[in-house]
Amino acid sequence: MKILGIETSCDETAAAVVENGTTILSNVVASQEELHRQYGGIVPEIASRQHMISIIPIVDQALSHSNIMPEDLDAIAVTNRPGLVGSLLIGVNMAKALALVWHKPLFAVDHIRAHIYANWLEQNAPQFPCIALVVSGGHTELILIQRNGEFKRLGGTRDDAAGEAFDKVARILKLGYPGGPAIEFAAGQGVPLHRLPRAWLKGSDDFSFSGLKTAVLHLSEKLGITSTEGLHPHIPNVAASFQESVVDVLAAKTIQAAKRERVNQILLAGGVAANTVLKETFLIRSPVEVIIPSPQLCTDNAAMVSACAFHNRSSPIQNRWDMDVYSISKYV
Ligand code: KG4
Ligand code: ZN
């Protein structure tokens, strides 16, 4: 079964063709990073307008790279939640139009679920029961999956998402946008010298990163980072200390939940899962197997949308021309 996936929930315009939810035939992503960099974050209206410009060439490329003709596609899948509403509308309308003219079934996909299914695009299919930690710019979700399609939210962030914390701290440290890769790079030049707070929120599977972000701001003021023009020599150590704190909490709490729920595997997903220190920490500390998608499948892409649709193809949301878009996920 070959599914064309379309993803426009945030600032990446993406399309992909995936066979049987596992084999990528094409995976095309147009990033808007350059466009939003000058604003230090995503500007929703600019994102929607850029999706409108990119969507047709990106879908066209995904089809031509896959060597698949439209008549050989079995279905079309599109992210319809959660995300920026103006951005989601572009992808959903494109998918509806293609499904209508090509007479294909249409699947609506939840972006958080799609991130999890990026793990099915790697060599070995995950084993149930497992726990998925989705850490992206907008979400930090801990989800128990007893069997395929059976999702139970154990916890999530009470304030900032993990990726959002990386982006905000990068702004404090004047490292630019997007913050995650910039912090990871700066942290690689330093050591975690400063002991920054960790919100353990004992007795729950929730996370919190806003206190840590404030602590970084106060430390940066004390060290003179915020009042200095250009790059300050303390930045690498502060970046490394921040990264260590985020990774420590994510790994400790996820592993604790995995042991309690007696799962076979931990699946990492979302843009923050591209972080090397996060990956290494999970691999070293976890007594259960940890599956991590390759970096280009951690960040937003459409192959994960096709995979999610395939593995949940009995989902009732099909061929609904009134399919709408939503800013929130089903899991939060
Ligand atoms: O999953 P994603 O591409 O988009 C959303 O669904 O939000 O995640 C983007 C987030 C951004 O906050 C970005 O700073 C973060 O993932 N990110 C990273 C790294 N690469 C991307 N965070 C930490 N380390 C990285 N290497
Ligand atoms: Zn995402």
Side-chain angles (χ1 to χ4, degrees):
M1 189 173 185
K2 300 179 193 77
I3 300 182
L4 169 68
I6 295 177
E7 157 64 44
T8 61
S9 67
C10 195
D11 64 334
E12 263 93 22
T13 317
V17 179
V18 174
E19 188 163 15
N20 296 333
T22 52
T23 309
I24 298 176
L25 303 181
S26 66
N27 189 19
V28 184
V29 181
S31 167
Q32 299 182 10
E33 217 168 274
E34 284 306 318
L35 209 57
H36 298 282
R37 180 167 289 136
Q38 58 185 305
Y39 305 102
I42 296 161
V43 182
E45 186 176 337
I46 295 176
S48 320
R49 289 177 187 276
Q50 189 57 39
H51 282 309
M52 202 162 64
I53 294 168
S54 305
I55 188 75
I56 290 179
I58 292 301
V59 169
D60 201 34
Q61 274 181 46
L63 280 176
S64 61
H65 291 185
S66 69
N67 288 320
I68 295 289
M69 299 306 285
E71 53 268 31
D72 299 323
L73 286 171
D74 296 287
I76 293 170
V78 63
T79 304
N80 78 326
R81 68 194 309 162
L84 300 170
V85 163
S87 291
L88 289 164
L89 281 170
I90 307 291
V92 167
N93 272 325
M94 180 78 199
K96 281 186 184 180
L98 295 177
L100 180 70
V101 294
W102 291 341
H103 307 288
K104 306 291 176 190
L106 178 63
F107 294 96
V109 171
D110 184 294
H111 185 78
I112 307 286
R113 239 191 232 208
H115 269 301
I116 296 172
Y117 280 88
N119 286 287
W120 271 255
L121 296 164
E122 300 297 346
Q123 271 158 5
N124 298 317
Q127 308 280 308
F128 301 110
C130 55
I131 270 185
L133 174 69
V134 184
V135 269
S136 70
H139 295 273
T140 300
E141 301 290 328
L142 197 59
I143 298 166
L144 174 65
I145 315 170
Q146 290 287 8
R147 54 188 69 82
N148 191 42
E150 209 179 292
F151 296 80
K152 182 183 171 199
R153 181 180 188 265
L154 299 175
T157 185
R158 292 187 185 173
D159 39 59
D160 292 343
E164 189 181 355
F166 269 91
D167 294 334
K168 288 179 176 171
V169 165
R171 210 173 302 159
I172 295 170
L173 300 180
K174 300 174 206 159
L175 291 171
Y177 171 85
I183 296 247
E184 181 171 0
F185 181 77
Q189 325 288 306
V191 286
L193 202 64
H194 309 279
R195 182 74 191 170
L196 289 167
R198 281 130 170 91
W200 293 112
L201 305 179
K202 288 218 162 60
S204 96
D205 289 323
D206 283 347
F207 300 92
S208 166
F209 298 108
S210 68
L212 170 62
K213 179 191 63 190
T214 308
V216 172
L217 177 62
H218 291 157
L219 177 64
S220 302
E221 284 167 353
K222 202 170 107 193
L223 294 172
I225 293 173
T226 43
S227 55
T228 310
E229 284 300 314
L231 291 184
H232 188 283
H234 281 298
I235 288 175
N237 290 346
V238 176
S241 308
F242 162 76
Q243 182 174 260
E244 185 193 62
S245 175
V246 174
V247 166
D248 190 17
V249 174
L250 289 174
K253 296 201 70 165
T254 305
I255 291 167
Q256 188 184 43
K259 285 186 195 159
R260 187 191 66 224
E261 302 291 340
R262 299 172 190 277
V263 298
N264 287 328
Q265 290 177 334
I266 292 173
L267 314 183
L268 298 186
V272 182
N275 185 284
T276 312
V277 175
L278 181 87
K279 281 189 246 188
E280 283 168 359
T281 306
F282 267 90
L283 292 171
I284 291 167
R285 288 200 206 165
S286 177
V288 301
E289 194 182 358
V290 181
I291 314 275
I292 311 158
S294 53
Q296 66 274 19
L297 293 174
C298 285
T299 49
D300 286 352
N301 65 85
M304 66 187 194
V305 176
S306 307
C308 183
F310 175 82
H311 294 288
N312 294 275
R313 60 194 179 282
S314 55
S315 146
I317 307 171
Q318 290 181 43
N319 285 333
R320 296 275 302 270
W321 302 125
D322 60 349
M323 178 203 292
D324 208 344
V325 300
Y326 306 91
S327 57
I328 57 161
S329 170
K330 282 180 189 165
Y331 307 105
V332 287

